[in-house]
Amino acid sequence: MKVLLKENDEPFTFKDYLKWEAGNDEKHEYFGGAVFAVGGASDNHALVVGNIFAGLHHHLKGKGCRVYAADMKLKVSLKYADAGYYPDIMVVCDPDDTYSHFKTRPKVIVEVMSDFRRDQVEKFMVYQNVESLEDYVIISQEPDEPKAWIYRRETSWNQEIVKPGETLAIRSIEFSIPLDELYQG
């Protein structure tokens, strides 16, 4: 993964990153002053993202929540740094989360797994700092190995694993879908 800095080798601020990113054709994520290129999605990845987005969009229509897919940034303010990610799916139900180019208070984040370590460890460690987040869902993109991990914020973060033939249930927004449907074209 290539790390980018400003032309004078100084780190980006989050504001610098937003301005710089607006002028780029490719997507980049941000962490603590450094910018990282985001790779493209596979066919399976795009199919699963599209299916979960369609289901969520239909389910949440008229309920005061918005569903964003892949192009809306999430800003996370950590004690030691800011981070900016492009989650595959974000559900935002807070009417005060009104930034036009990023969101800060999602209720649900869904990632279709590209990299186990990045999605299960790095992003989860950062996303836990989002106070509004109630459910973090990771879905395998492999149709031969359908599986999902749901992390729910209760008194602590609890994990549920969803396997083939089971239903993926996101309790915070009362949404459910058979896991197998996410892999159908």
Side-chain angles (χ1 to χ4, degrees):
M1 182 177 297
K2 185 177 180 184
V3 178
L4 303 173
L5 297 172
K6 292 194 297 189
E7 288 178 14
N8 58 3
D9 288 333
E10 290 184 20
F12 284 85
T13 64
F14 190 77
K15 187 176 179 180
D16 293 336
Y17 159 69
L18 289 175
K19 185 177 178 182
W20 181 82
E21 180 76 351
N24 274 287
D25 293 333
E26 299 168 348
K27 289 197 271 186
H28 299 81
E29 294 184 328
Y30 172 86
F31 191 88
V35 176
F36 306 87
V38 177
S42 70
D43 183 63
N44 288 343
H45 187 279
L47 176 67
V48 174
V49 168
N51 284 339
I52 190 85
F53 176 83
L56 286 167
H57 180 71
H58 178 75
H59 173 73
L60 293 171
K61 200 170 200 172
K63 294 183 180 176
C65 296
R66 287 193 172 194
V67 183
Y68 299 95
D71 288 328
M72 179 58 71
K73 288 180 275 305
L74 167 66
K75 179 185 181 188
V76 182
S77 294
L78 304 167
K79 289 179 186 177
Y80 51 89
D82 285 334
Y85 290 99
Y86 282 98
D88 290 322
I89 303 283
M90 265 193 303
V91 175
V92 177
C93 301
D94 187 331
D96 293 327
D97 197 352
T98 58
Y99 297 101
S100 62
H101 290 83
F102 63 92
K103 299 299 170 192
T104 60
R105 299 182 208 144
K107 189 172 199 165
V108 175
I109 295 175
V110 179
E111 294 283 7
V112 176
M113 190 173 354
S114 299
D115 177 315
F116 182 85
R117 187 188 132 293
R118 190 151 157 49
D119 294 327
Q120 291 274 18
V121 179
E122 176 192 321
K123 287 183 179 180
F124 183 52
M125 294 299 290
V126 172
Y127 292 167
Q128 288 180 64
N129 292 283
V130 177
E131 290 181 18
S132 61
L133 187 64
E134 295 181 33
D135 290 294
Y136 176 46
V137 181
I138 303 169
I139 303 169
S140 168
Q141 67 175 299
E142 299 304 326
D144 298 341
E145 299 175 35
K147 190 174 188 180
W149 298 261
I150 304 171
Y151 294 92
R152 288 193 174 82
R153 187 189 305 258
E154 294 167 344
T155 52
S156 61
W157 285 95
N158 296 310
Q159 181 192 65
E160 176 185 332
I161 297 175
V162 183
K163 297 176 184 162
E166 297 179 348
T167 298
L168 172 67
I170 305 174
R171 291 185 197 146
S172 65
I173 54 173
E174 299 177 349
F175 172 78
S176 62
I177 188 169
L179 182 66
D180 300 336
E181 284 186 21
L182 298 178
Y183 301 91
Q184 297 173 4

